[in-house]
Amino acid sequence: MKSQSRPLLTLACMFILLLHGCALTHHPVEKAAIGKPCSSAEMERLIDQPGPITLETINSADWSAPLSGLLNLNSPAAVQAGVTDRDEPVHIYAHLLRHPQYGNYLVDTGVSRKVLNDPGKAGLNWIVQKAMHIDKMHINKSTSEILHGTKLSGVFFSHLHLDHIIGMPDIANDVPLYIGASESTHTTFKHMFVQGATDQLFKDKQPFQEWPFQPDSQHRFEGIVDVFGDGSLFAISVSGHTAGSTAYLVRTTHGPVLLAGDTCITRWGWDHTVEPGDFTEDHAHNLQNLKRLKDLVARHPQIEVRLGHQP
């Protein structure tokens, strides 16, 4: 009787696992050692003033992906415009941020040649390689070339989808890593396919540090963190595309820049207020936070917007 029950127990455990999904990665996570929660009013009092940060956005690689993943083709705006699925040219960016007091940081990681030269060694099995269309990635400037000996004080992630973390092999193991709340621990069925690759890319790296978001007292955003405590850089919780998606508002020497991450991937999506498509976990939540970012830019039209994968 025991021998007959074991297969049933195993199947039941597998069914429960499939039903609930799994976390994105087993990588350790802890509270961020930097950053303090603030309100949208505090942030917006400052952002129109030039700040101390220099920011360079680098097109690390050209790529293409199905438009149905990049843009919600079922949205009323896309349906009315007759937008249909196609292969859409996009870019993979890394943003190099230099603070005169606190050091150099990347926002997202670009692409490492090591990953494209040997995807399997980086943990990307053939299913992931096919799903990512990795054969369509063409490097312009690898992560190591972007850094070119620059000592990093940290990496700020907009989220942990593979196209935002495949520069990790070029990043030193002692560099701190910062993510949005629940980004690495939220469970979903899709994570089962990418967990191995994510684990491998972060193997031997520093633990994730989660931003300490608290509810915005003005209710304009889910939460905001003053990253350095000097009002020069703000992390903004914009969950929806992923559980911990984060945008960054940078007060540069030339004025404010919004790094929207994949809250909006395409220029058409921004212009028509349409969230990403199949690559997004929660469409309603993503759209709500996209509208919040657009409202911020409407209140402060001098903000330069840099989207997830298109100019």
Side-chain angles (χ1 to χ4, degrees), residues 226-246:
D226 184 342
V227 172
F228 299 121
D230 65 351
S232 63
L233 173 66
F234 298 92
I236 305 173
S237 177
V238 287
S239 60
H241 182 66
T242 64
S245 285
T246 304

Side-chain angles (χ1 to χ4, degrees), residues 84-98:
T84 57
D85 202 11
R86 61 176 184 267
D87 212 30
E88 178 75 1
V90 289
H91 311 293
I92 298 179
Y93 296 119
H95 310 277
L96 183 57
L97 180 156
R98 300 181 188 273

Side-chain angles (χ1 to χ4, degrees), residues 50-306:
I53 292 174
T54 59
L55 179 67
E56 180 185 7
T57 293
I58 302 100
N59 176 13
S60 182
D62 294 323
W63 189 30
S64 62
L67 185 61
S68 56
L70 308 171
L71 187 74
N72 181 7
L73 301 183
N74 295 319
S75 70
V79 172
Q80 184 176 3
V83 181
T84 57
D85 202 11
R86 61 176 184 267
D87 212 30
E88 178 75 1
V90 289
H91 311 293
I92 298 179
Y93 296 119
H95 310 277
L96 183 57
L97 180 156
R98 300 181 188 273
H99 192 291
Q101 182 178 353
Y102 297 107
N104 308 309
Y105 296 82
L106 277 182
V107 180
D108 295 332
T109 67
V111 180
S112 168
R113 290 189 189 276
K114 295 173 185 176
V115 173
L116 295 196
N117 289 342
D118 193 346
K121 188 175 180 180
L124 279 65
N125 61 40
W126 71 271
I127 296 176
V128 172
Q129 292 177 42
K130 291 293 184 183
M132 284 187 68
H133 301 276
I134 201 165
D135 57 311
K136 297 181 180 180
M137 287 186 187
H138 303 285
I139 289 182
N140 296 311
K141 199 170 188 179
S142 71
T143 307
S144 63
E145 292 167 337
I146 291 168
L147 295 175
H148 193 58
T150 299
K151 180 174 175 53
L152 285 181
S153 297
V155 178
F156 304 140
F157 289 99
S158 64
H159 63 298
L160 297 178
H161 279 170
L162 290 175
D163 53 310
H164 291 255
I165 66 175
I166 53 177
M168 285 306 301
D170 295 345
I171 292 171
N173 289 355
D174 62 349
V175 174
L177 310 173
Y178 301 89
I179 62 171
S182 302
E183 176 65 12
S184 66
T185 56
H186 174 70
T187 58
T188 179
F189 172 72
K190 290 181 180 180
H191 289 166
M192 297 180 67
F193 299 99
V194 296
Q195 187 186 74
T198 309
D199 282 347
Q200 183 63 30
L201 286 165
F202 287 108
K203 184 180 179 181
D204 299 324
K205 306 296 184 182
Q206 293 296 298
F208 295 131
Q209 299 187 43
E210 280 190 351
W211 295 123
F213 290 121
Q214 293 182 8
D216 174 25
S217 55
Q218 279 73 49
H219 308 293
R220 287 176 170 173
F221 291 101
E222 295 173 346
I224 302 171
V225 165
D226 184 342
V227 172
F228 299 121
D230 65 351
S232 63
L233 173 66
F234 298 92
I236 305 173
S237 177
V238 287
S239 60
H241 182 66
T242 64
S245 285
T246 304
Y248 294 91
L249 197 288
V250 191
R251 286 180 54 227
T252 79
T253 54
H254 298 290
V257 176
L258 175 65
L259 303 178
D262 282 7
T263 305
C264 188
I265 293 176
T266 65
R267 175 63 187 268
W268 198 95
W270 180 266
D271 289 345
H272 296 85
T273 318
V274 177
E275 81 282 8
D278 297 337
F279 301 155
T280 276
E281 291 181 19
D282 186 331
H283 284 271
H285 208 173
N286 191 154
L287 180 59
Q288 180 183 43
N289 278 316
L290 171 56
K291 289 178 178 177
R292 286 169 170 165
L293 291 181
K294 291 199 68 173
D295 287 345
L296 174 67
V297 175
R299 292 192 297 271
H300 303 269
Q302 61 271 52
I303 292 175
E304 178 189 343
V305 179
R306 300 184 187 180

